[in-house]
Amino acid sequence: PGCALLLCQALISGGLGALAQDSSFLAVTRDEMAASSQLQVDEVEKAAVELLKGRETLQGTRTGSAPLDTSAVAPGRSPGLRGSPSQKNIAATRL
């Protein structure tokens, strides 16, 4: 859910909206991102949720707009980034 939303946004902004509609393409892309980053898929999902939360905060601060709906993400799936960033968190943030 979090990763799929980020991928969809990137594909649409790049003019590839048709690919954003292909759930199997999104799943394969997520899996390949995880593999190339040497992360587990759940770590990629957690990083995506954190990125969405960061965007939500920035959008709310800049425009006063309503936050993005991340309710599709299962509860408890994102513990957040705590303390100093680990190597995994740094790699995930680069996604």
Side-chain angles (χ1 to χ4, degrees):
C3 190
L5 179 57
L6 284 176
L7 287 170
C8 284
Q9 290 173 353
L11 289 167
I12 290 168
S13 71
L16 299 170
L19 289 175
Q21 302 295 321
D22 185 344
S23 61
S24 61
F25 177 81
L26 295 173
V28 169
T29 303
R30 179 203 58 212
D31 294 347
E32 290 298 321
M33 286 173 54
S36 68
S37 302
Q38 298 179 348
L39 297 168
Q40 298 297 318
V41 171
D42 66 328
E43 293 172 308
V44 172
E45 286 294 341
K46 288 176 187 177
V49 169
E50 291 302 316
L51 288 170
L52 289 169
K53 285 181 181 178
R55 271 192 194 171
E56 194 174 283
T57 301
L58 287 174
Q59 286 180 349
T61 303
R62 287 185 188 159
T63 65
S65 63
L68 293 173
D69 179 12
T70 58
S71 61
V73 178
R77 294 277 314 250
S78 177
L81 302 176
R82 295 182 180 96
S84 61
S86 68
Q87 198 62 23
K88 287 182 180 179
N89 288 339
I90 292 169
T93 304
R94 292 182 186 151
L95 298 176

